[in-house]
Amino acid sequence: DNATLDQIASPAFDPEKMLIVSGNPPGVPTPASTNQSPGEVKFLSYAPKDLVFSATATAPAVLLLNDRFDPNWKVLVDDKPEALLRCNYIMRGVYLTPGSHKVEFRFVQPMDTFYVSLAAVVLGGLLSVALFLLPPPPTPKPESDRARPLPATSAAARS
């Protein structure tokens, strides 16, 4: 991460001609020439959690989406899952082979938070039902109705 930030901050970094991909991206070759026309991309649909593009790549390329990287984004190329790439430290992308492709970025919320929320709602519901079904606690008797201890008597007084 620090090396990526150093490269991006360098005056030699030109974001129009250069792309930094973090990690070891699967199958992303280094292009022979950066002056080559990479192709064309068109929006097909745009929703906050689902972006669909039509892309035509003339050479192996990385489609860079200048949007914040989050590992919960999943990417499909021609309806098949592909590796989501972390590009230029904070953006996301996907590797494309030459040809026409349908590319979809879909945000998939992890189910862990759903299950925790569901468990909390169920537990709250069970506690609410228990409060209504359990009998109320006995009310304490007023001071005047309580039994008072009898005074101690001697054995001579009993006979």
Side-chain angles (χ1 to χ4, degrees), residues 1 3-9 13-23 62-69 85-93:
D1 286 346
T4 301
L5 287 174
D6 289 341
Q7 282 182 309
I8 290 172
F13 180 73
D14 182 359
E16 291 183 16
K17 294 181 181 176
M18 299 173 80
L19 177 69
I20 301 169
V21 179
S22 297
V62 173
L63 171 64
L64 174 68
L65 184 61
N66 282 326
D67 206 358
R68 186 172 135 333
F69 177 87
L85 304 177
R86 184 174 168 200
C87 304
N88 293 349
Y89 186 74
I90 196 167
M91 298 167 197
R92 63 182 185 263

Side-chain angles (χ1 to χ4, degrees), residues 121-136:
V121 168
V122 168
L123 181 63
L126 289 174
L127 289 174
S128 297
V129 167
L131 285 174
F132 287 111
L133 294 180
L134 290 176

